[in-house]
Amino acid sequence: MPQLEAAGHVMLTVGELSARSGVPISALHFYEREGLIASERDDRNHRRFRRDALRRVTFIRVAQHVGISLAEIREALESLPAGRTPTKADWTRLSRHWRTALDARIADLEHLRNDLDGCIGCGCLSLRTCRLRNPDDTLGATGAGPRRWEE
């Protein structure tokens, strides 16, 4: 099916957007319901997406892949300019914003990886000796049960 033009913009059908992005149509509908991408309706009430939706969908998928929440993705996309395709500078600004959170997540994963064998060894039956949940029983004075993972 050929791409349509509206107001000087190349418009993609949901099927074309799915084929170009590799994202299932159902996911594109979900992204639209969640306000992550937007469509316009043609005279037959079919969804049509501007080409910048392709970049946005790719951005969403990459962000999800590294663990960014949909709420954070939505907030980032809302900061992009309406009416034009986001530029490299736009994407650089957004990725810089997430760097600190990603660095913290990486540190947590390294911590988990490095201490996981000890956790499996204890079987989570001893909160006094668990290096992941309660190193050196530092949380024992604050009450019973697990308090937090980060330590």
Side-chain angles (χ1 to χ4, degrees):
M1 179 180 292
Q3 298 173 353
L4 301 176
E5 289 194 33
H9 298 286
V10 174
M11 303 294 281
L12 303 171
T13 66
V14 70
E16 290 168 334
L17 183 57
S18 174
R20 300 264 321 265
S21 67
V23 175
I25 291 173
S26 60
L28 296 174
H29 289 167
F30 173 76
Y31 292 160
E32 186 177 15
R33 281 192 311 274
E34 292 295 311
L36 301 171
I37 60 175
S39 69
E40 300 170 20
R41 298 290 180 149
D42 66 12
D43 57 352
R44 295 185 302 165
N45 204 30
H46 293 153
R47 286 181 174 89
R48 301 289 183 213
F49 295 88
R50 290 179 24 162
R51 287 197 67 230
D52 68 307
L54 183 57
R55 283 192 184 178
R56 290 173 186 259
V57 169
T58 301
F59 178 77
I60 293 165
R61 295 303 277 205
V62 169
Q64 284 182 304
H65 184 72
V66 298
I68 305 295
S69 72
L70 285 179
E72 292 171 295
I73 294 168
R74 181 182 310 103
E75 180 182 325
L77 290 173
E78 287 173 352
S79 76
L80 293 173
R84 75 165 168 81
T85 301
T87 65
K88 182 179 184 321
D90 293 326
W91 298 127
T92 299
R93 177 181 51 80
L94 294 178
S95 64
R96 191 176 312 123
H97 174 74
W98 287 336
R99 185 175 185 86
T100 301
L102 289 172
D103 286 344
R105 190 168 295 136
I106 290 167
D108 285 345
L109 289 170
E110 287 175 341
H111 177 84
L112 176 63
R113 180 201 61 214
N114 294 336
D115 288 341
L116 188 59
D117 60 341
C119 180
I120 292 171
C122 83
C124 294
L125 298 176
S126 174
L127 290 179
R128 291 188 191 281
T129 61
C130 182
R131 291 178 4 203
L132 286 174
R133 291 279 181 200
N134 193 13
D136 302 319
D137 197 26
T138 57
L139 299 173
T142 64
R147 294 286 187 237
R148 64 176 185 263
W149 181 71
E150 306 87 7
E151 280 293 329

